[in-house]
Amino acid sequence: QEKVRDGVRSGALHNAHDIAEGGITVAIAECCLAAEIGARIELPDGLEPFAEAPGQAFIVSGDEGALEGLVVIGRVGGTDLEIAGVLKLPLSTLADAWAGGLATFAQ
């Protein structure tokens, strides 16, 4: 937590998002949507894609030097969010789902 806090305060980290309310998959999707950039992710063995861990783990992005000492699970870039073995979707599809919420299922 201290490294993340210091990275945010110094501006070395471009973003930081805790793994809550939907777990790592939702946190990564929210980061991609906010930055309007895709990502390719490979989750570490044993990490459940939707397990919540508020305040215990964070999704961050930054230059290589800013990530030193942290576990890197992927790279940003492109127009898709791909989480190996979980999903691969264009950001446009994610944005539509995020904007529509549960209304899509109410029909």
Side-chain angles (χ1 to χ4, degrees):
Q1 288 177 341
E2 186 176 323
K3 183 161 180 66
V4 171
R5 184 190 66 228
D6 292 346
V8 169
R9 286 181 178 166
S10 71
L13 294 176
H14 300 178
N15 79 308
H17 192 312
D18 74 327
I19 298 174
E21 298 178 9
I24 194 168
T25 301
V26 172
I28 292 169
E30 289 175 344
C31 290
C32 288
L33 290 173
E36 298 180 348
I37 191 166
R40 286 187 313 271
I41 307 296
E42 188 159 332
L43 298 177
D45 288 338
L47 182 62
E48 294 295 323
F50 298 99
E52 299 176 352
Q56 298 175 28
F58 301 89
I59 297 299
V60 299
S61 66
D63 297 330
E64 292 292 326
L67 301 177
E68 190 174 313
L70 300 175
V71 176
V72 176
I73 61 170
R75 300 274 185 248
V76 297
T79 58
D80 293 341
L81 170 57
E82 180 177 356
I83 300 177
V86 179
L87 62 82
K88 181 177 181 183
L89 293 170
L91 289 183
S92 59
T93 300
L94 289 173
D96 290 346
W98 187 255
L102 295 176
T104 335
F105 299 99
Q107 300 174 353

